[in-house]
Amino acid sequence: MKFRRSMVKYALKHGVTKTAIKYNTYRQYVYRWLRRYDGSLESLRNKSRRPKHHPKAHTAAELKLIQDMRRRNPEAGLVVFWVKLRQRGYSRSITGLYRTLKRIGMTPVKPPNPKYVPKLYEQMLYPGQRIQIDVKFVPSACLTGEAKGKRFYQYTAIDKFSRWRYVEAFEEHSTYSSIIFLVHLIQAFPMPIECVQTDNGPRIH
């Protein structure tokens, strides 16, 4: 800006041609800043070339729809809010909606995460009240002797009160193997079994 002021003042005193030669520029460049110069340094600042109106900009009706819907749905997330707008004739992309919300100061509200409520541990009162059964594949590295090279599934039952444990292995994980293990468990446990619970599954009474 100071360079242009110096150039303009020189042009006003010595003419455009001599100024273009002295400042190593074009006559049109000198004329442009002479037209803009009003005596202040600020008049020689570069003007923004950003267009005043974008052909794809949201219309006034679309902006009103967005503002009205945001007032009615202040906690709606971006996707839910966009779907609600689409149901009312909004045709813009979700990306365009996000940029517009950000520009007008109505950024999408992130829905709060549901509050985690820890599940209270149910204390068992007597042996056999609940027995947990888990089934796991036995890694081949754990097999030796005659069992080496075969596939085994380990069934484990644990009494939740006494921590009493019963373990048995089967060559297949099937309904038949599960029934046999349950029969053997009932025979081995010294007390009546009231409830059996499987891997993250339902309880069987």
Side-chain angles (χ1 to χ4, degrees), residues 47-80:
K47 294 182 179 179
S48 173
R49 296 186 180 182
R50 184 177 179 179
K52 294 182 179 179
H53 178 73
H54 195 280
K56 294 184 179 180
H58 278 62
T59 63
E62 288 175 324
L63 291 174
K64 186 177 184 305
L65 174 63
I66 291 172
Q67 292 167 349
D68 291 343
M69 287 294 293
R70 176 51 83 193
R71 281 193 293 270
R72 295 174 196 157
N73 304 272
E75 297 182 359
L78 178 62
V79 176
V80 174

